[in-house]
């Protein structure tokens, strides 16, 4: 999984979350802050393009408050991604399953 791809997925999820939950057309300050934080974490990820999804990662480099926020976004937008961005969602799902299998073998 490329960092760029995960960045795109996360951005879509945060935008979807903000649009539906906060009723904003553009990202509100809170969500924008979250997106910037995620981008920062991704750009510092020690795994580079070998990384798994943050949700599968063992390191958990997010600080607790941001971790809670992103979890909430994932919970909300995860199932909805299938509806709004089906191709990306299915791809993401496949990658997640593949990674889980890979990790399970170790
Ligand atoms: Zn928002």
């Amino acid at each position: 999984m490329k960092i760029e791809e995960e960045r795109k997925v996360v951005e879509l999820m945060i935008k979807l979350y903000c649009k539906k939950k906060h009723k904003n057309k553009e990202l509100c300050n809170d969500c924008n802050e979250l997106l910037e934080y995620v981008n920062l974490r991704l750009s510092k990820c020690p795994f580079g393009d070998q990384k798994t999804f943050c949700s599968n990662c063992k390191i958990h480099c997010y600080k607790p408050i941001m971790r809670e926020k992103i979890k909430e976004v994932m919970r909300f937008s995860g199932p909805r991604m299938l509806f709004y961005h089906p191709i990306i969602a299915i791809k993401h799902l496949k990658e997640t399953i593949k990674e889980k299998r890979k990790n399970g073998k170790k």
Side-chain angles (χ1 to χ4, degrees):
M1 186 71 180
K2 292 262 161 63
I3 284 188
E4 270 315 306
E5 281 177 53
E6 176 147 12
R7 205 192 288 269
K8 244 185 278 170
V9 175
V10 172
E11 190 177 337
L12 284 171
M13 283 179 141
I14 294 176
K15 279 185 176 159
L16 187 63
Y17 175 83
C18 191
K19 201 163 116 188
K20 299 285 163 193
K21 273 262 179 175
H22 304 151
K23 310 283 176 203
N24 288 314
K25 273 221 169 104
E26 299 293 323
L27 282 184
C28 66
N29 285 341
D30 257 18
C31 294
N32 201 38
E33 196 190 43
L34 179 63
L35 180 61
E36 273 178 17
Y37 183 78
V38 171
N39 279 334
L40 184 75
R41 296 317 321 169
L42 282 176
S43 64
K44 294 196 167 175
C45 180
F47 298 110
D49 281 346
Q50 301 298 311
K51 81 183 286 303
T52 68
F53 293 114
C54 293
S55 46
N56 286 350
C57 187
K58 291 190 190 96
I59 292 186
H60 299 312
C61 62
Y62 288 40
K63 48 180 183 184
I65 176 134
M66 288 306 189
R67 202 170 140 68
E68 277 314 303
K69 276 192 189 178
I70 196 71
K71 259 171 139 177
E72 163 93 26
V73 169
M74 296 288 165
R75 234 187 340 248
F76 181 85
S77 292
R80 286 167 179 82
M81 284 293 284
L82 215 51
F83 185 73
Y84 291 98
H85 305 283
I87 294 164
I88 295 171
I90 287 166
K91 202 173 162 223
H92 196 272
L93 203 69
K94 273 190 188 162
E95 291 283 334
T96 305
I97 292 167
K98 213 165 75 188
E99 281 178 358
K100 281 211 174 121
R101 272 205 202 119
K102 210 165 62 189
N103 291 342
K105 270 183 195 161
K106 269 179 210 162

